Amino acid sequence: MDDTPVPFTEEDYATRMSRAARDAAETRLAGLLITPGPDLTWLCGYRPATTERLTLLVLTPGSEPRLLVPSLERPDAEAAPCADAVRISDWRDGQDPYAAATGLLLPNGRYGVADTTWAIHLLGLQEALPLTTYRPLTVVLPLLRAVKDAHEVARLASAAAAADAAYEEILSVRFTGRRESEVAADLARLLHEQGHSQVVTVVSSGRNSADPHHRTGERTLKKGDMVILDFGGLKEGYASHVTRTVHVGEPAEEERTVHDVVRTAQQAAFEAVAPGATCQEVDRRARRWIEDAGYGEYTAERTGHGVGVTAHEPPYLTEGEETFLVPGMCFSIGSGVYLPGRFGVRVEDVVTCTADGGRWLNATDRGMAIVA
């Protein structure tokens, strides 16, 4: 079966840019200023390096999108998928790029600016146009990328399937006597073999698994260890994000009990996914289950976060987030219990909201696998 993703077209990018400009107007912004990073990639398919040279996409309501680039990068910009949908201009080394940008902006405009914008660029714009004001894009338009079209969901599903395949293979790798870093390297290799261009792997074993923010270290795994595998990355420009908890040898009864609590809490949260449900309602469902099981003080993480061209983006499934779920939103759903100094358990998958409820994009067994 050919799982090659359908390429995004110039029309796709033009539609995204037009919608973003319209959303900006509805938020009473003069426009959006997008520098290299995930927003630029998503809006127009252009992926320049982030450097001290200013690259700026300007989206304003009722106007053609404008892309300002360094002159030496103009050929790359003109080869981008969006090239015919934007008006490209350039500036040369020795010129003031911020002076070049002034002609694209209102002198007293209020703009949404990409979160990844370097301070040097934002300060340069402010100095050139001191009456302009700026707001972070995820504050003024937090859901800009949140609702995915069918082709985006297909890419996320492909990334999830690749991560699932890597997980299935890592289960046959020997854990006992090896360092966390070695298992993490194996998992990274498997993700690359499954088509990921970028990978992130975290292996937390034994007492380390009780630290929800542990970074892979040099601890040697041994029989009796609980091991959290938190992994994913980018495939075809879209993220995978999976967490599984495995055990080296047979687990103790309490370890099985905690894992069952976590897995059931995740399922409860998944069953709360539906159009019109709020993000915090999904979070509360998982949290309530864990609290009722007596482990409420040992779970501190939000239940999930949006997944798209990055692995962490809005919406966030957490208390206080009243955003309504709509079909096309894709996000992780995970639950965890962390017993200090002893062990931890976490299970997490990517889900998409559909008209009929939630749909898992990951398909591997969520039970506690036994590894050697």
Side-chain angles (χ1 to χ4, degrees):
M1 178 179 177
D2 184 9
D3 63 353
T4 303
V6 175
F8 297 125
T9 66
E10 177 190 318
E11 183 179 355
D12 291 327
Y13 292 120
T15 298
R16 291 176 186 178
M17 288 187 286
S18 176
R19 177 165 65 83
R22 184 175 64 251
D23 290 348
E26 293 175 355
T27 316
R28 297 183 180 179
L29 295 171
L32 304 180
L33 307 181
I34 311 298
T35 52
D39 291 313
L40 186 66
T41 300
W42 182 79
L43 283 163
C44 66
Y46 184 40
R47 296 179 174 85
T50 303
T51 71
E52 75 283 358
R53 291 188 171 96
L54 178 67
T55 294
L56 187 68
L57 174 68
V58 180
L59 302 177
T60 53
S63 298
E64 183 180 17
R66 301 292 297 269
L67 181 62
L68 176 65
V69 300
S71 59
L72 60 85
E73 295 177 11
R74 182 162 185 152
D76 291 336
E78 291 176 338
C82 66
D84 291 336
V86 300
R87 183 181 299 178
I88 299 173
S89 57
D90 61 47
W91 61 275
R92 296 182 177 277
D93 284 353
Q95 296 178 329
D96 183 350
Y98 308 108
T102 59
L104 308 180
L105 309 182
L106 295 177
N108 60 349
R110 176 174 174 266
Y111 290 93
V113 60
D115 293 20
T116 53
T117 300
W118 280 14
I120 189 174
H121 296 317
L122 185 57
L123 292 171
L125 292 170
Q126 288 179 317
E127 185 175 352
L129 294 170
L131 297 182
T132 51
T133 57
Y134 305 91
R135 297 281 288 161
L137 194 57
T138 53
V139 171
V140 291
L141 292 177
L143 301 182
L144 179 66
R145 305 195 315 255
V147 180
K148 277 68 175 176
D149 63 27
H151 295 319
E152 291 184 283
V153 174
R155 290 192 183 213
L156 286 166
S158 176
D164 285 350
Y167 172 67
E168 294 287 359
E169 290 192 59
I170 200 69
L171 295 180
S172 63
V173 169
R174 184 163 186 81
F175 283 61
T176 306
R178 304 181 69 219
R179 295 189 298 272
E180 290 177 348
S181 60
E182 293 176 312
V183 176
D186 283 340
L187 190 50
R189 172 181 54 80
L190 292 169
L191 287 166
H192 280 302
E193 290 176 358
Q194 291 296 331
H196 280 65
S197 58
Q198 299 178 27
V199 301
V200 176
T201 58
V202 178
V203 175
S204 309
S205 65
R207 291 185 177 184
N208 291 341
S209 66
D211 177 3
H213 299 292
H214 175 69
R215 294 185 178 183
T216 301
E218 298 304 313
R219 181 184 182 276
T220 299
L221 281 70
K222 62 181 185 298
K223 187 175 181 180
D225 278 348
M226 194 78 87
V227 184
I228 295 178
L229 306 173
D230 186 351
F231 58 97
L234 291 180
K235 179 177 184 288
E236 304 291 353
Y238 280 74
S240 63
H241 189 85
V242 188
T243 308
R244 291 288 183 269
T245 302
V246 303
H247 198 275
V248 184
E250 288 297 321
E253 182 178 353
E254 183 185 17
E255 292 172 325
R256 287 189 182 277
T257 296
V258 172
H259 194 285
D260 287 345
V261 168
V262 168
R263 184 175 52 170
T264 307
Q266 185 203 30
Q267 180 66 29
F270 170 76
E271 291 172 0
V273 173
T278 66
C279 291
Q280 71 175 3
E281 287 172 350
V282 178
D283 176 75
R284 286 172 179 174
R285 188 72 68 87
R287 199 169 300 281
R288 186 179 305 121
W289 186 272
I290 291 174
E291 289 171 351
D292 289 348
Y295 294 98
E297 64 181 297
Y298 303 113
T299 183
E301 295 187 344
R302 62 195 176 198
T303 296
H305 49 78
V307 178
V309 293
T310 63
H312 291 78
E313 59 187 45
Y316 298 102
L317 307 185
T318 188
E319 181 65 31
E321 180 55 74
E322 297 180 347
T323 297
F324 292 105
L325 300 182
V326 299
M329 284 184 173
C330 298
F331 39 83
S332 69
I333 288 184
S335 294
V337 167
Y338 310 94
L339 303 179
R342 300 181 62 205
F343 66 88
V345 173
R346 184 162 181 81
V347 181
E348 187 172 16
D349 299 275
V350 178
V351 170
T352 185
C353 180
T354 75
D356 300 319
R359 175 167 72 90
W360 298 106
L361 296 188
N362 293 101
T364 52
D365 190 342
R366 296 174 185 87
M368 181 167 53
I370 308 302
V371 296

